[in-house]
């Protein structure tokens, strides 16, 4: 029997290392300097990713130093990574972005540095306590948003962003309880003056259930929530978020379009069986403008336009800028105004007159006018209603760049010199002005908790129309001075904004009646604000 000889295995000749070949890549992104952490990545993979990034125009530093702007790591253990980073003697570590490898792969796929999202960040989970210092005592936080001071700065954005994604997901699935739970949790964390660094910091905080704490724990450990990442990558969620970003498209319409197999704007606009209403048509027509944030300077410019239009019709009218801008925000998605007049029943005809004047000026791009259905005999209302019954109109106005101090908030390549902006006008009777002002100033969660606080803690019913004391079986009046502090202070846990004064004009005509109502609400606000 013959046996074939066993030949020795032939070793393949190794390929020449590309790293040894000097090659100068073109730098496209001067303001981004990467450092790839070799820990958990390995030397050969790090070398390959370094060459890949440099081939796409990125600067990749071989040594970790203070010139680095973006640190990229595959180490899923945030605590060990940050322990190592803090031992590297970096002066600018706090200004560097410490990112998961997912940001790197997204950037390589796009061929440019993509925007850093919550899911990309690897957060520091190690609290830094100076030697000899004692822990700061935890201040009691109310379960009601109307009793919490909330600054414009959000110290816990990495958590609240995740909660808002989860809340949106539950809202799309019509699971109201879970949606509300995550919105309440986000509201609580936004009110904190410091960063939550461990779950122990949340021990005495209200409105944080097992699910919210599990999400926080995951973010503290890994720098991201895998549940949130799964939602963000879900086709249905992405599609519903896209569709509901259009003016006039709500969750139900978006869901209907999704079930029909539509996935993009082009799918909708080319589908012959889809019939858009006038609001939706306008939403698509001005989508780029409406989806872009409105600046404070643009809000001021629109305030001047509305003020001029209103007082050209009636001199005794009063105008107030409300919404996020009245709370001091720098940007918003639209601009809200309350207009009122002491002239009896004038609010029923004033709004159409304002709309006509804006149209004559050639700046009215869209108008949805809703006449007043307010009926004082139907007060108090025992059910929560998302919208009040005052006359109102939802507008889209053409805002010229020449009217805005510092120019428009628009893309650099936009040469039109104007943009479309959403503006809401609400016109309550003078004796309902204070309630409407309060209702249109607070955030959605603030207003919800304000009503809940009134009902649960003070046995009162509050909405945009009135405050009703159930124990005395009467409505609280603002016709004169507020004598009983307890009767109205419960719903005024909001002070006048410091950064953006209330825009109003009082003329000689009817100033007495207007001033009485305004001074009443502001006196009550001032007294409550002193209590913190």
């Amino acid at each position: 029997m013959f046996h074939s000889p066993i030949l020795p295995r032939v070793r393949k000749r190794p390929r020449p290392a590309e790293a040894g070949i000097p090659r100068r890549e073109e730098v496209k992104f001067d303001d981004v300097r990467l450092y790839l952490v070799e820990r958990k990545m390995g030397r050969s993979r790090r070398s390959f990713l370094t060459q890949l990034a440099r081939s796409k125009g990125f600067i990749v530093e071989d040594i970790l130093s203070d010139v680095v702007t973006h640190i990229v790591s595959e180490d899923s253990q945030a605590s060990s990574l940050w322990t190592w980073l803090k031992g590297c003697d970096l002066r600018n570590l706090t200004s560097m972005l410490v990112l998961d490898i997912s940001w790197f792969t997204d950037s390589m796929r796009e061929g440019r540095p993509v925007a850093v999202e919550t899911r990309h960040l690897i957060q520091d989970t190690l609290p830094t306590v100076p030697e000899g210092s004692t822990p700061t005592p935890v201040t009691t936080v109310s379960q009601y948003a109307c009793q919490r001071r909330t600054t414009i700065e959000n110290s816990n954005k990495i958590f609240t962003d995740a909660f808002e994604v989860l809340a949106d997901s539950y809202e799309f699935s019509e699971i109201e309880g879970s949606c509300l739970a995550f919105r309440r949790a986000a509201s609580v964390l936004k009110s904190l003056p410091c960063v939550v660094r461990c779950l122990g910091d949340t021990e005495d905080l209200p409105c944080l259930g097992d699910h919210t704490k599990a999400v926080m724990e995951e973010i503290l450990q890994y720098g991201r929530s895998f549940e949130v990442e799964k939602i963000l990558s879900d086709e249905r969620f992405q599609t519903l978020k896209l569709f509901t970003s259009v003016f006039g498209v709500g969750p139900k319409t978006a869901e209907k379009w999704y079930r029909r197999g539509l996935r993009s704007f082009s799918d909708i606009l080319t589908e012959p069986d889809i019939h858009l209403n006038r609001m939706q048509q306008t939403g698509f027509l001005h989508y780029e403008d409406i989806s872009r944030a409105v600046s404070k300077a643009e809000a001021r410019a629109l305030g001047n336009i509305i003020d001029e239009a209103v007082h050209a019709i009636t001199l005794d009218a009063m105008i107030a800028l409300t919404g996020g801008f009245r709370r001091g925000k720098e940007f918003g998605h639209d601009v809200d105004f309350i207009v009122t007049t002491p002239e009896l029943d004038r609010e029923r005809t004033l709004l159409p007159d304002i709309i006509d004047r804006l149209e004559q000026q050639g700046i009215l791009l869209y108008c949805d006018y809703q006449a007043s259905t307010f009926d004082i005999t139907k007060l108090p209302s025992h059910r929560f209603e998302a919208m009040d019954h005052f006359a109102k109109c939802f507008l889209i106005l053409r805002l010229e760049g020449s009217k805005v101090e510092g120019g428009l908030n628009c893309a650099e390549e936009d040469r039109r010199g104007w943009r479309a902006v959403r503006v809401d006008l609400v016109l309550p009777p003078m004796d309902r002005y204070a309630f409407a002002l309060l209702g249109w100033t607070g955030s959605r969660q603030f207003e919800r908790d304000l009503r809940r606080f009134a009902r649960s803690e003070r046995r009162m019913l509050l909405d945009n129309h009135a405050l009703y004391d159930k124990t005395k079986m009467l409505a609280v009046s603002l016709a004169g001075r507020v004598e009983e502090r307890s009767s109205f202070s419960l719903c005024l846990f909001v002070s006048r904004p410091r950064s953006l004064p209330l825009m109003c004009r009082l003329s000689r005509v009817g100033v007495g009646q207007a001033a009485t109502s305004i001074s009443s609400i502001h006196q009550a606000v001032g007294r409550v604000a002193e209590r913190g």
Side-chain angles (χ1 to χ4, degrees), residues 141 143 148 154 156 159-164 166-167 177-192 196 202 205-213 215-216 445 449:
V141 178
Q143 64 169 308
R148 298 193 294 260
N154 181 2
N156 293 284
F159 302 117
T160 59
D161 283 355
F163 289 172
E164 284 164 8
L166 288 159
S178 298
C179 172
L180 181 57
F182 276 105
R183 295 206 191 282
R184 280 180 177 161
S187 177
V188 168
L189 294 187
K190 286 178 182 178
S191 72
L192 300 181
V196 173
T202 68
L205 295 179
C207 307
L208 299 181
D210 292 340
H211 194 174
T212 55
K213 288 186 177 181
V215 173
M216 293 182 70
Q445 190 58 47
D449 278 2

Side-chain angles (χ1 to χ4, degrees), residues 118-233:
T118 301
R119 62 189 178 91
H120 296 138
L121 292 170
I122 301 179
Q123 290 288 97
D124 181 9
T125 61
L126 303 175
T128 303
V129 181
E131 293 184 7
S133 65
T134 56
T136 304
V138 178
T139 305
T140 302
V141 178
S142 172
Q143 64 169 308
Y144 300 106
C146 59
Q147 289 193 304
R148 298 193 294 260
R149 282 189 178 274
T150 302
T151 63
I152 299 300
E153 298 297 326
N154 181 2
S155 301
N156 293 284
K157 197 170 186 300
I158 188 171
F159 302 117
T160 59
D161 283 355
F163 289 172
E164 284 164 8
V165 169
L166 288 159
D168 287 343
S169 177
Y170 283 119
E171 184 176 23
F172 290 148
S173 300
E174 299 186 68
I175 305 176
E176 186 177 353
S178 298
C179 172
L180 181 57
F182 276 105
R183 295 206 191 282
R184 280 180 177 161
S187 177
V188 168
L189 294 187
K190 286 178 182 178
S191 72
L192 300 181
C194 55
V195 179
V196 173
R197 298 189 179 277
C198 62
L199 272 186
D201 295 343
T202 68
E203 185 175 346
D204 297 319
L205 295 179
C207 307
L208 299 181
D210 292 340
H211 194 174
T212 55
K213 288 186 177 181
V215 173
M216 293 182 70
E217 185 175 23
E218 198 171 46
I219 292 173
L220 286 168
Q221 184 174 359
Y222 301 110
R224 61 188 188 272
S225 165
F226 299 107
E227 181 182 5
V228 170
E229 286 186 349
K230 183 178 179 181
I231 291 171
L232 290 172
S233 62

